[in-house]
Amino acid sequence: FFHSGWIDSPDEDVWMELVSDWLLDCDALLVSGEITKGVQHEIDIARQFHIPIVYSLEELDLAFGRH
């Protein structure tokens, strides 16, 4: 959520590269709120590497929680 609400950032390319690297270590991508250009970039990376994408904490719990 570091970049939540940012429209543009002078360091956007650097940020996108960092997020791309971090995302590869994640078990899932939790998407909440507006789908911005940056969020769409994260979704595209998650899809490319078959990282599950969830859109709520409930969905995250269903995918990874204890049942």
Side-chain angles (χ1 to χ4, degrees):
F1 292 105
F2 293 109
H3 62 291
S4 181
W6 288 359
I7 303 297
D8 290 308
S9 167
D11 299 318
E12 187 173 345
D13 292 336
V14 173
W15 178 253
M16 291 295 184
E17 187 175 330
L18 286 171
V19 168
S20 299
D21 291 343
W22 292 338
L23 188 55
L24 297 179
D25 290 325
C26 294
D27 295 322
L29 173 64
L30 173 60
V31 177
S32 65
E34 182 181 349
I35 306 294
T36 62
K37 182 174 85 171
V39 172
Q40 186 60 56
H41 178 75
E42 294 169 1
I43 290 170
D44 294 342
I45 291 169
R47 286 183 177 146
Q48 179 182 355
F49 290 97
H50 307 284
I51 298 167
I53 303 165
V54 296
Y55 295 88
S56 70
L57 291 176
E58 292 80 14
E59 193 177 344
L60 183 66
D61 188 46
L62 284 173
F64 296 97
R66 298 180 189 161
H67 304 285

